Amino acid sequence: MSLHSEFFTAVLNHLNDGIFIADHNGIAKWLNNTSTKQLGLSRENIIGKTVEELETMGVFTPSVTKIVLKTRETTTKVQTSKGRQYLATGYLIKIEGTEHVVVHVKDVTETVKASLKLEKTEALVKQYWEQIQEMKLSQNKETNNKKIIGKSKKHVEMIELINRVASFDATVLLTGESGVGKSFSAEELHLKSQRSDKPFVKINCSAIPETLVESELFGYTKGAFTGANSKGKQGLVEKANGGTLFLDEIGELPLHLQPKLLQLLQNKTYIPIGSTEEKKADIRIIAATNQNLQVMVKQKKFREDLFYRLNVITIEIPSIKDRQDDILPLLYHYLEKFNHKYNRNVAFNKETLEQLQHYEWPGNIRELENTVERLVITAYNNLISLEDLPENIHNKSITTSATTSNKITTLQLNHQSLTEYIENIEKEMIQHALIEHGTARKAATALGITQSSITRRIKKYDIHNF
């Protein structure tokens, strides 16, 4: 069949899309009427020229034909010609026993313009949403006892990543040691998302008996099994509708339930126990684990397809040993919290604070929080001393360099009581934080105390000119 067959020529010339054909050397052999209009040249000015010549002349850019001949693969590119944009797809085919490239060219100028307008509108909406969320978070900061405290590099990098991904509805996997604050991070993601006014529902996969996990997650219908509630039960997935479902300790999810979770992630659908009908779930899923899921996949303890579905965005929550600069703010934050909770007014003495700062905290933030709560409750005096510390912390020696650099000399204590010395330390820390951060609110955040608390101390110590 000839390229100049009258029948096919007539058919191709009636198409609204351009058809451009070049041989294996990139020489233009034929084009339809629409293609001549797209390129703004007659056939006589195109046929016989190479695509490189036409590209140099500015007839189109880039040359899809040239790319196809180089890669020998079907290729689609956005091509520009005479100020308009085209979606050009090139195919390598044989015509009369010789290789040719056939390019199908569709005008997408108006579509691109509409898409850009939509993109700009979406970006503006996203910007307004983020501003509203910042205002809400700022208003709630004083009353939010679960705020994430820290200023270390690792912590700041983690918070920045949380801020970047929170507004996107993608699945997030939180990893890190036990006690690092994965639950707090999950709540932070929810609070900064577009679902913040909807439910945040948490399930700990390791805390529920294996036989009950499915019914807790997906619920069941009336009479689904012996002993079931006669009215059926709403599952946590349904309770989270519109909001966020947080699956803590996801590595403990029974293997036989993992395909059902995969279905929920892929299709946002699930089937309650005893039902045959799929239900839709408008939820965002955040998962967390202190296990290495990749190793579990190799051990056949975790499904590979589920792992990749969960692992869209991974955020590692650093342990305390990787954020030493945050120990002091965390200590003061929880001291303030439990003083208020138990109506006490205790403080750390210098040696105790030094010991706590240099303890390794294998249990991370959870251990630190529980320790401070215990100390606030059990301290004999208003100053928490070394004797008040749990045995495992009290017996942990501080490194020589730390002891030397922070040692209280006899000369220092000759002229002031221990209480006066602690108050001077506290005053210096507050002054330093105020100078470094500029405002009382930011200084309070850095020290891990509330704004009202730092305001009282500023007044108490008569601090000015910061």
Side-chain angles (χ1 to χ4, degrees):
M1 191 188 318
S2 170
L3 276 174
H4 302 287
S5 166
E6 290 183 7
F7 174 76
F8 284 102
T9 299
V11 170
L12 295 174
N13 277 330
H14 274 83
L15 295 178
N16 291 325
D17 296 342
I19 301 295
F20 178 94
I21 303 176
D23 67 12
H24 64 285
N25 292 316
I27 298 172
K29 304 297 288 184
W30 190 85
L31 65 162
N32 69 353
N33 291 341
T34 300
S35 191
T36 61
K37 292 174 184 177
Q38 290 173 341
L39 300 178
L41 293 173
S42 66
R43 284 187 177 84
E44 291 74 22
N45 291 323
I46 295 173
I47 293 175
K49 288 185 171 64
T50 66
V51 289
E52 286 191 353
E53 289 177 294
L54 294 170
E55 191 175 25
T56 303
M57 291 165 58
V59 177
F60 47 64
T61 183
S63 169
V64 173
T65 301
K66 190 167 67 174
I67 297 171
V68 171
L69 288 172
K70 183 179 179 180
T71 63
R72 307 193 64 76
E73 293 180 352
T74 299
T75 302
T76 300
K77 292 285 183 183
V78 175
Q79 195 175 67
T80 302
S81 181
K82 303 299 179 185
R84 296 186 70 79
Q85 290 177 302
Y86 301 91
L87 193 66
T89 301
Y91 306 88
L92 190 65
I93 63 174
K94 279 192 175 183
I95 301 176
E96 297 179 342
T98 306
E99 282 189 335
H100 287 73
V101 177
V102 177
V103 183
H104 172 223
V105 186
K106 186 177 185 65
D107 192 335
V108 292
T109 305
E110 300 307 318
T111 304
V112 170
K113 286 181 180 178
S115 177
L116 287 172
K117 287 180 182 177
L118 179 61
E119 191 176 310
K120 288 178 181 177
T121 303
E122 288 177 342
L124 194 60
V125 169
K126 184 174 180 290
Q127 180 185 337
Y128 288 155
W129 177 263
E130 288 173 350
Q131 289 174 353
I132 291 169
Q133 291 306 105
E134 285 178 10
M135 290 171 62
K136 286 170 66 178
L137 285 169
S138 177
Q139 291 168 357
N140 293 333
K141 205 162 190 179
E142 281 297 311
T143 56
N144 182 16
N145 286 329
K146 292 189 174 182
K147 62 185 178 181
I148 303 176
I149 304 298
K151 60 179 181 177
S152 64
K153 183 182 177 182
K154 287 265 189 182
H155 177 82
V156 170
E157 287 174 351
M158 177 197 73
I159 293 298
E160 286 176 350
L161 183 54
I162 285 175
N163 291 338
R164 285 202 303 274
V165 307
S167 59
F168 297 98
D169 226 18
T171 301
V172 177
L173 178 64
L174 303 173
T175 63
E177 297 175 8
S178 179
V180 292
K182 294 187 287 292
S183 293
F184 285 179
S185 299
E187 289 186 58
E188 191 81 356
L189 279 164
H190 173 72
L191 287 171
K192 292 181 177 178
S193 76
Q194 298 182 33
R195 299 175 179 269
S196 60
D197 57 341
K198 300 297 182 182
F200 176 82
V201 177
K202 173 182 175 179
I203 178 171
N204 188 320
C205 300
S206 68
I208 300 173
E210 188 173 321
T211 53
L212 298 179
V213 176
E214 184 175 3
S215 62
E216 287 295 316
L217 264 178
F218 304 115
Y220 55 81
T221 59
K222 177 182 178 182
F225 51 85
T226 305
N229 188 306
S230 60
K231 296 179 181 179
K233 180 179 178 178
Q234 182 186 45
L236 296 178
V237 173
E238 188 174 352
K239 287 181 180 179
N241 197 51
T244 301
L245 178 67
F246 175 44
L247 302 169
D248 200 7
E249 303 297 347
I250 189 68
E252 299 295 329
L253 187 71
L255 202 58
H256 72 275
L257 284 183
Q258 292 181 20
K260 295 195 174 187
L261 179 58
L262 182 63
Q263 178 188 341
L264 182 64
L265 282 162
Q266 289 182 154
N267 308 322
K268 295 295 173 70
T269 61
Y270 67 100
I271 302 176
I273 298 174
S275 176
T276 57
E277 293 184 9
E278 282 188 344
K279 298 187 76 170
K280 283 283 185 183
D282 175 22
I283 57 173
R284 180 192 193 172
I285 293 178
I286 300 173
T289 182
N290 60 5
Q291 301 184 68
N292 189 324
L293 294 185
Q294 285 181 299
V295 171
M296 292 184 69
V297 167
K298 291 178 181 177
Q299 295 172 342
K300 307 296 183 184
K301 295 180 180 178
F302 201 85
R303 288 179 63 108
E304 185 175 22
D305 48 5
L306 177 57
F307 169 69
Y308 286 118
R309 275 289 174 182
L310 288 169
N311 198 36
V312 177
I313 298 171
T314 301
I315 300 177
E316 183 177 1
I317 314 301
S319 61
I320 283 189
K321 66 175 177 289
D322 294 324
R323 42 183 296 207
Q324 286 285 324
D325 292 346
D326 294 334
I327 293 178
L328 190 62
L330 285 166
L331 288 169
Y332 274 109
H333 167 71
Y334 289 117
L335 181 68
E336 182 79 16
K337 173 183 175 180
F338 294 120
N339 266 333
H340 177 76
K341 180 178 180 178
Y342 297 112
N343 196 28
R344 297 214 63 185
N345 187 30
V346 300
F348 302 114
N349 71 22
K350 179 66 178 177
E351 294 93 338
T352 303
L353 198 60
E354 193 174 273
Q355 189 83 1
L356 292 172
Q357 278 185 274
H358 292 89
Y359 177 61
E360 292 181 352
W361 298 107
N364 289 293
I365 295 175
R366 186 184 295 124
E367 181 189 6
L368 187 148
E369 180 181 7
N370 292 342
T371 298
V372 175
E373 182 173 17
R374 170 183 170 175
L375 291 172
V376 168
I377 293 171
T378 61
Y380 288 105
N381 303 304
N382 284 343
L383 278 178
I384 300 172
S385 66
L386 289 174
E387 287 69 30
D388 295 314
L389 295 179
E391 189 174 333
N392 63 310
I393 299 178
H394 183 265
N395 292 339
K396 187 74 175 178
S397 62
I398 301 173
T399 60
T400 306
S401 59
T403 307
T404 304
S405 62
N406 294 299
K407 190 176 181 182
I408 303 175
T409 64
T410 306
L411 180 63
Q412 286 176 306
L413 291 177
N414 278 342
H415 304 288
Q416 54 187 320
S417 68
L418 187 57
T419 302
E420 289 172 331
Y421 182 79
I422 297 299
E423 287 181 344
N424 284 335
I425 295 267
E426 185 176 58
K427 180 179 178 181
E428 286 177 11
M429 287 183 65
I430 292 172
Q431 285 176 319
H432 178 75
L434 289 168
I435 292 169
E436 182 179 350
H437 299 283
T439 67
R441 181 179 61 82
K442 290 180 180 178
T445 300
L447 292 170
I449 60 178
T450 62
Q451 188 171 355
S452 57
S453 179
I454 199 171
T455 302
R456 288 196 303 272
R457 285 166 168 79
I458 290 171
K459 185 176 180 181
K460 174 183 176 180
Y461 297 127
D462 196 24
I463 298 172
H464 300 289
N465 302 322
F466 58 87

